[in-house]
Amino acid sequence: MSEAKGSGLIDMDDAFFGRVYEQVKSVPSGTVCTYGTIAELAGYPKASREVGFAMSRVLSEWNLPCHRIVNAKGTLAPSYAFGGKDKQRELLEAEGVTFVDEETIDMRKHRWPASPEPEQLTLGLE
């Protein structure tokens, strides 16, 4: 994978993408995680935009649960992602995720992790 530049906070290289995708894999069914939390868990605090970019590069054959990654407000992704908002909602509801309105996930009930444990933040920058 070639090196890409994000918003100036970090270099997005193979290590970054690998760490992000490993964290995405760990999000349990029936829960959602925010871009910012994925960034933090991967060892790149405040790199939520870069995580969003990494998510846009995921190939369907990788079978990552990208539908479980949402913005901090818990709203569904833009219509161009996941096959559209309806598709993302369908995938989440099939896992038992509930909504407070048409586009907003019940984050109090489904956010993962509710607050990261120190051992979840072990992937520091080297």
Side-chain angles (χ1 to χ4, degrees):
M1 208 177 292
S2 65
E3 191 171 305
K5 295 280 186 185
S7 64
L9 296 175
I10 63 165
D11 285 335
M12 292 185 288
D13 56 13
D14 288 344
F16 169 78
F17 287 104
R19 289 177 177 183
V20 166
Y21 298 149
E22 282 302 311
Q23 293 303 324
V24 172
K25 285 182 199 175
S26 70
V27 179
S29 178
T31 67
V32 295
C33 189
T34 67
Y35 294 100
T37 300
I38 291 291
E40 184 179 5
L41 292 172
Y44 299 90
K46 301 185 184 203
S48 58
R49 287 179 188 255
E50 288 83 351
V51 169
F53 177 77
M55 299 305 295
S56 73
R57 296 182 59 159
V58 172
L59 301 177
S60 60
E61 57 264 21
W62 295 353
N63 294 315
L64 291 176
C66 298
H67 61 285
R68 296 179 191 150
I69 313 305
V70 299
N71 67 30
K73 295 178 183 177
T75 55
L76 295 173
S79 59
Y80 58 81
F82 309 109
K85 292 179 181 187
D86 291 339
K87 180 65 175 177
Q88 184 181 18
R89 185 180 177 114
E90 176 186 319
L91 292 168
L92 291 170
E93 286 181 328
E95 295 179 353
V97 173
T98 57
F99 290 73
V100 296
D101 62 36
E102 283 299 308
E103 296 185 7
T104 310
I105 296 155
D106 186 343
M107 294 296 281
R108 284 183 278 170
K109 184 174 180 182
H110 300 289
R111 185 181 183 133
W112 179 89
S115 45
E117 297 296 326
E119 62 270 11
Q120 290 178 294
L121 301 173
T122 58
L123 293 177
L125 294 173
E126 295 157 11

